[in-house]
Amino acid sequence: MSATVIDGKAFAAKVRGQVAEHVTRLKDKHEITPGLAVVLVGEDPASQVYVRSKGKMTVEVGMKSVEHKLDADTSEADLLAVIDKLNNDASIHGILVQLPLPGHLNEDLVINSIDPAKDVDGFHISNVGLLGTGQKSMVPCTPLGCLMMLRDHHGSLSGMDAVVIGRSNIVGKPMAQLLLGDSCTVTIAHSRTKDLPEVVKRADIVVAAVGRPEMVPGDWIKPGATVIDVGINRLDAPEKGEGKTRLVGDVEYDSCAAVAGAISPVPGGVGPMTIACLLANTLTACCRANGLEEPAGLTA
Ligand code: GUN
């Protein structure tokens, strides 16, 4: 069997197109422009790349984009003051504080100081609680992207066995909640899980989010299962030339693709969906803030 490739790049472009259409309608009918503010503290190169890309795509879908770049030694009080100002700015509907933050800043405190209604990352403790109790919330972007891809591929996920490998607050735990919300039977596996290959082999859906390059080989996968690879790992690739690198996921692509029914590649799978969902969340937050109907198909 050779797996269907789940093309996240194309799907993300479609989602951004839908967001852009809604933004045009909001502007034309209600004279409202959704606004997204991204706060970056310090000069982490990977974070700078993400933030640039977020800003560009925010503008491309017709939204207002604001960036706050703060020095690495910014005090907690100064960062909280920036967030407070954004919380009270009616032209801003989404606030994202890029993680990781420099070590002297308390990440939980900072995230929980964002107005939950503007928390487009879905990391605020209120949103975590709302998601966990099946109530309307802001949903973390990467798991939301995975859910959209799975729904697009399968239609209903009801009754499927899903195994999420990884228990992070950003991906693993919210992913499990979303799959449970769609009536999957969900297992969260992690580094202490006994007989991990056996556990994974039971799954109709495998979501790998461990951050370990090519950890999941094809012989752990049930024939025909759907594999969603959240990992983005950069490995040295001397075969491509000196100093060159290549991106790999958390699953061994070739061996898994030979067994799976469907698989998302790295790059071009989940990655592009994360920013698309950030834009979708900003649109959702903007509609909720203005008492307008939420766009269908762009939320959990
Ligand atoms: N750093 C890496 N990914 C993310 C993300 O999705 N949200 C935030 N806030 N920071 C990140």
Side-chain angles (χ1 to χ4, degrees), residues 50 96-99 121 123:
Y50 278 134
L96 179 146
V97 177
Q98 184 67 28
L99 303 177
D121 261 326
F123 295 165

Side-chain angles (χ1 to χ4, degrees), residues 126-128 130-132 135-140 281 284 288 299:
S126 296
N127 282 315
V128 175
L130 290 167
L131 178 62
Q135 300 178 71
K136 197 153 95 173
S137 65
M138 296 307 301
V139 177
N281 278 351
T284 300
R288 287 180 187 170
T299 48

Side-chain angles (χ1 to χ4, degrees), residues 186-256:
V186 183
T187 303
I188 306 180
H190 46 78
S191 55
R192 302 285 179 91
T193 296
K194 278 187 270 176
D195 299 327
L196 184 59
E198 292 308 308
V199 170
V200 175
K201 194 103 191 185
R202 289 203 301 264
D204 304 308
I205 293 170
V206 179
V207 179
V210 264
R212 285 183 51 188
E214 300 176 322
M215 190 190 101
V216 179
D219 60 5
W220 291 13
I221 303 296
K222 177 159 89 175
T226 297
V227 178
I228 302 291
D229 191 349
V230 181
I232 301 178
N233 310 286
R234 198 168 277 286
L235 296 183
D236 290 335
E239 73 281 3
K240 288 167 72 178
E242 203 186 310
K244 295 282 185 195
T245 60
R246 65 189 172 99
L247 282 183
V248 299
D250 289 350
V251 312
E252 211 177 79
Y253 185 81
D254 288 346
S255 64
C256 287

